[in-house]
Amino acid sequence: MSTAHASAGRAAAADAPQAPVAPELSLDRAVLPPVIGTAVQRVDAVEKVTGRSAFAGDVRIPRMLHGAVVRSPHAHARIVSVDTTLAERLPGVHAVVTGADTARIKWGAFRPDLYPLALDRVRYVGDEVAAVAATDPETARRAAELIRVEYEVLPAVLTLDEALAEGAPLVHDDAVGNLAHEFGYDRGGADAWFERSDVIVEGVWQTTRQWHGSIETIGCTAEWSQDRVTLWVNTQTPFLARQRYATALGLPLRAVRVVQTEVGGGFGGKSGDDNTSVICAILARKSGRPVQLVNTREEEFLAGRPRIPMRYRVRLGFTSDGLVTAKDIDLIADNGAYTGKAQAVLGAATVRHDALFNYRAVRAHSRLIYTNLVPTGAFRGFGNPSADWAVGQAWDLAAARLGIEPPDLFLLNAVEAGSVSAHNHRISSCELKQCIRRAAEAIGWYEKRAAPTPNRGLAMGVSVHVSGRRSFGDYDGSSAMVRLTEDGRAAVIVGEGEIGTGARTTLAQITAAELGLAVADVTVSRPDTDLTTHALGALASRVTYVAGNAVRRAAKHACEQLLGAASRQLGRPAAELWVEDGMVHAPPAAGEDTPVHVPVGVVVRAELYRPNGQPIVGIGSFDNPSEFPDQARFGNESGAYNFVAEAAEVEVDPATGAVTVLELAAAVDCGTVLNPPLAQGQVEGAIAQGLGMAITERFDWADGAPTRPNFVDYKLPTAGVMPTLHVEFADSYEPTGPYGAKGVGEIALDPVPSIVASAVADAVGVRIHELPITAEKIYWGIHRPEPGAPGAADDPAEFPEQGNPR
Amino acid sequence: MTTLDRALEHTGPLEPSMLLTPHSLDEALRLLAAGDAAVVAGGVGHTLRRHDRRPCPATLVSVGRLPGFDTVTWTDTEVVIGAGVRLSALEADVRLAAAWPMVTEAAGSVATARIRRMVTLGGNIAADDDSHDPPVALAAAGARLTVRDALSGRTLAIGDIGGLRRDELIQDVRLPLTAPDQGTVGSSFQKFLVRGLWEYACVNVGAVVRLDARGAVRDLSLAVGSVTGGPVPVDLAGLAEEAGEAAGGIDDRVIDEAARRAAEQTSPYGDVRGSAAYKTRMIAEFARRALTTAALRAAEGTGR
Amino acid sequence: MAVPLRFRLNHEDVEIHVHDPAATLLDLLRGDLGLTGTKSGCAIGYCGACTVIVDGEAVPACLQMVGLLEGREVRTVEDLAGPGGLDPVQDAFVTCAGMQCGFCTPGHVMAVRALLDRDPDPGEEELRRTVDGNYCRCTGYVKILDSAREAVALERARAQEVR
């Protein structure tokens, strides 16, 4: 891919460094450089197709040992004793650790409640109790099986209702009523607006656990050097993880170095809320050797941090002509045994949806409840898919009650650029209405409505997402360095990392565009907390927007230095110079005929190879122009919001209830699309995960855990169940984004469960109230259930769900 | 299947296995007779047990490549399928697909093509798993298993596989063939994938319809899998006679009655693929579908 | 007691001693032989990330007992690209952006490679069936199917060049 863009340097040279956001970044849309919006090949594609990429389990260090973990088989128990004698005697075993080997410090992103290894109590099936390091994985596993743990089994709370019951056993003694977190608000006076409503719809909708199912499980390799430990981890968030791991290990921050390996899928599941890396570090310290610890698939299911099951009671009010008045939700969320990021997810699941429509009043009461089940946490969408499912069902009911087609109802109420939500979401660019129209067109909404097919149904849903969110202290920024090398390349040093989305490729494109270099001449670092800039990492759909801006500024800064150096070297004013195709160009000097072309590397080398010579290193930073929301979640979370409208057509076999998603159209507003195949890939993959959440992903449960914690029961969508997809991007431009771009990583997952459910209701008149949408639930909705059999009902309490713990 | 079986917590570490590769059936049977040995063919079942850290015999006897173990032989009255035939080969057997489409359909519906290349028919049957597809089809077809030990041989029905001893080996599977002047046979295998993607069946049903030379129903057969004690042959006593009297082949009343009996006579269990109550309804539904297709195929006289 | 095992691995004769013949090819490749291009995703044959080619057929290495490999021929992803560049299947995945995190990619590549070795001109149904045997959590399979189709085209073009 040969790329360069005219006069990048010229534009940059005219600007002062670190100018304010808006003027500097508001490029005229018509002059986007050619490398922006182009299908640039991924910079890591060849490594990936050849199997040379080094994922967490591919790290090899001399003398490296392998770890294995002993986990609780009980949902709630007191540890009476741990006998490690037999394990220690097994040849090949180099370390056995228990809670006694830890710093006995609780850790967690928001509410520290997790020990690295259990001290006296285990709180879910999978809780870590002990661990072993041995010469090979099989020996480690055998040694782990030789550890004898004596438990006194305690009463456990295995459902939300059990946890909330009067006198329920406490998961943590300091969490009265098993309440981990709670907040609420009433903005705009909900009661008054409901009184003025002509149509009110209400219902209860519940989601279930969904696991990330990254094909690569969580893994770490740890090595100590004196009093410092280096962790090679497949984490999405190396700097945030380092902070938590240091706390968990009882070490100063400076004693922990985190290096990101290749990450085989993140989706929130590798954002540093689990114990694997911490245990790995403890094993390495005790054994005095490097240790690698990689979750088995079973461990990933038992002790990952799946999506939070949420039970929503939703109430919506409308005027008779379809204007939404008020929204009221009561939300109970299943935290599992430890909190991790669930507290933040609860916030998004409560407020984010209110940035979609012009509600006059919104009220909410949200509670996060401890149970003796696998801890829950961040998963792509971060609460939005749950909200979009529950609230989306209420909107779909309202459309039917009002006699307005859903796309038309959405258009009546959708936010626009300049809208401000009740929580102070300040919407900058917004093409939601364009998305609604385009999704309807792509699926052939009105044609299909005009000629309905029996047992087929249509539905539409919409969603909004952030481009980065201020969650961790009052900062959602990024910083980067761009070093120009004496061989004419740009080395981008940034700590954000790559989890598969193609972030390193888009950051390379931005750098190439700013510097007039080919993408092939740009390298983007992997995060290393010792070497790269500080970064929050891949979460909240933030890297393109936040890091993209920081990298762009750093590249621009480097370009200014380059032109300054060339100016001195050539004796020409910087304003006359520009960079293109890897060369610094100048028009013919006065009295000369030929223009001047000097390779970038020559300028860089000449700038260094002189007395008191200087390297060319540009720095840039960007802080999301957003607010740190308060305790009641008031505050403009993000500087830019992305939007989607999705429409689906499904077919139901009334004899079995089996549902087939035939077609799904997604129209996405993510601002400028920097790299079309990469952006499409985000949308296509998110839809597949949404279909898994909607239809296929569930377990059998017994005594607080899945009975077969592997892919036998838990079915990820395969190629065979994917519908025909229509993916479109709105014509959109975000003035604060890099070249007009916004986030796109999560948004397309959000509406999928809701539109599948609404389309099923449209097809056969059965409204599902608890995910996943199984053939059986649909069947019993069509056919009269036998006494005691599960049937469709409005109250989930009457709705036995096999996909949930009992 | 991978089960989080907490009773296994203290079964203790696995010891490395010894793998023996005999060169003849007799040698294999002698090794099995020596005790504490298990058969591996494709090795899939053993590898999964090992993954689950379930107890295994110290000695494994590899039979997957025994001479003659993977051939399909035809006589006038039966087709003899070697126990070592891979499911992928069975699925692709055109002649078998003409005579017993139900069997090739069942073989072809197991997991993915990649797994079917490893799994042998004998191994799939010997696993004695009520949800496996091929045994359901074979039970409906009235297949017989030739079973050998070091001293003698015997014949087992599919449903008696639980009686297979550790020192015995399935040698082949025999399916009856109908002479052309005796009428036609149609068969069909139906596997309900409740989530629309490959996995174990929610319910799986095999059905056979035999018509005499005049087109009247002579015999009906139905077997149901993924139920307790499965595959369960359904007792359809009297139904073939009832159907045979009706001119023009099998009518809907007979099919509905057969489906009703299939549901009544089987005990499905609730799991991730559905509650027992739902599966009972689905057994009736897929029995109906299997019989309808089988009858159609019999009437066409082509088997398919 | 270690027992000798002889097989062909990526066109070379290999003779090793294995401690446990019931161990899996996956563990042998990744552990003892250091061939980490073959990935472990579930270890029970479901995800396809460990797909390798044994005697010309795609199989999950996690279900392949090493003891059963005696005298057989194994190809892993490390065998595909050579001094002449990438295999056409790999080229197709690169061209069509048929990957995101890349963890499932070697398995997908090997599955399509095995298919094309058996049938250089498979139909759409056969391509879909092949891709259906490998999980991918990132892509939604759209660009993987595109890559599989492109691989057929590239393979055909290469065959014509050779001719």
Side-chain angles (χ1 to χ4, degrees), chain A residues 73 138 141-142 145 148 298 653 656 696 698 700 703 705 707-708 713 715-716 721 776 779 786 802, chain B residues 2-4 6 10 13-14 51 53 194-198 271-275 278 281-282 285 289:
Chain A
E138 179 61 23
R141 173 53 49 202
R142 288 177 191 201
E145 286 165 353
R148 296 282 172 265
E298 286 80 3
D653 177 353
T656 63
T696 67
R698 62 203 301 242
D700 270 338
D703 304 325
T707 54
R708 282 180 295 272
D713 282 353
K715 301 306 287 183
L716 305 185
V721 293
E776 172 161 8
Y779 178 86
E786 289 162 0
Q802 293 160 314
Chain B
T2 308
T3 304
L4 181 72
R6 288 163 208 163
H10 300 300
L14 301 176
H51 175 83
R53 311 194 76 72
V194 67
R195 293 182 274 195
L197 37 66
W198 60 270
D271 65 10
V272 72
R273 285 165 278 277
S275 68
Y278 175 67
R281 298 283 186 101
M282 292 305 104
E285 175 62 25
R289 293 182 185 191

Side-chain angles (χ1 to χ4, degrees), chain B residues 13-49:
Chain B
L14 301 176
E15 292 305 322
S17 313
M18 173 146 58
L19 180 73
L20 303 174
T21 309
H23 298 288
S24 69
L25 181 60
D26 286 342
E27 189 188 348
L29 293 170
R30 277 198 303 276
L31 292 171
L32 288 176
D36 196 28
V39 174
V40 294
V44 170
H46 182 78
T47 304
L48 291 176
R49 276 194 299 278

